[in-house]
Amino acid sequence: MARHKGRGWHGRLLAAGLGVTALAAATSVWTAQADPAGAPASAPAARRSGTVAKVATDIAHASDRGDRGVNITIDDGPDPVWTPQVLRVLEDNGVKATFCMVGTQAQAHPDLVKDVVAAGHRLCDHTVSHDTAMDTQSEAYQSQQILDAERMITKASGGVRPQYYRAPGGAFTPYSRQLAASRGMRPLGWNVDTKDFELPGADTMVATVKNEISNGPTVLFHDAGGDRSQTLAALREVLPWLKQQGYSFGFPVR
């Protein structure tokens, strides 16, 4: 699993998120313990029960569709320009994906979070501010980033909890994996990095998927952080190609 370094977009997210995290530092862990689901009062009772099923702590890569399954994962949103377009491409191809959301983005665009859920996709906690140096930070900081993002995403969704945790840039620690798993969020890796953040061109992204899908089923794209038109073009080409090769689309194992 490749390690992503910090980027300008993520630097701005981090600066914004640090303000959120600092304000929540004194209360986030206690809030999460008092209301683990973070669900509003109007959410179904099952979602408000506070019952969280623990999952495995190791980083998931496999698909719940087996050896010929593919997991499409979409990171860093939601974004008001690009997420709706990604959702349309996925719908046009009958594909369900896992959206790894940044807490501040989810908080800013709750309608988009609800749209993702309504379309049958799954949610993933991608921390409050996408700090790719998470693995060098204190356990208290990691807790705040993970638990505050979980709360933000759950609230924005109307009570639907994230089922996975993806560390920014793959910066997992044993502590963060254990914490996420204890909250019912399976640590989530990837096998194929399209590097769409570097804007290599849609053809290059498609070639990367074709050449590397044999490495494993979980493919990384983005729906935020800049112009994602190349990502859209790549998805339009690669999703039908994967179907033609006999792959089916599923979710990461939990």
Side-chain angles (χ1 to χ4, degrees), residues 144-252:
Q144 291 158 15
Q145 285 281 316
I146 295 168
L147 297 180
D148 286 355
E150 179 194 14
R151 173 179 54 80
M152 291 173 179
I153 295 166
T154 303
K155 182 177 180 181
S157 72
V160 178
R161 297 169 46 81
Q163 297 189 43
Y164 307 92
Y165 164 65
R166 173 173 276 168
F172 289 100
T173 66
Y175 175 79
S176 68
R177 290 190 290 107
Q178 182 177 25
L179 176 63
S182 74
R183 304 290 306 150
M185 298 184 292
R186 179 73 183 268
L188 176 59
W190 63 85
N191 306 104
V192 181
D193 184 357
T194 62
K195 293 183 168 54
D196 57 344
F197 229 103
E198 298 176 4
L199 301 178
D203 290 345
T204 298
M205 296 180 207
V206 171
T208 296
V209 175
K210 291 181 177 181
N211 292 333
E212 298 183 13
I213 194 64
S214 60
N215 295 340
T218 303
V219 186
L220 174 61
F221 289 97
H222 294 83
D223 64 341
D227 188 332
R228 300 269 69 86
S229 57
Q230 292 183 9
T231 299
L232 291 168
L235 284 168
R236 291 190 186 102
E237 183 174 346
V238 81
L239 297 180
W241 180 84
L242 287 165
K243 288 183 180 180
Q244 292 167 6
Q245 304 307 304
Y247 289 99
S248 60
F249 296 92
F251 296 110

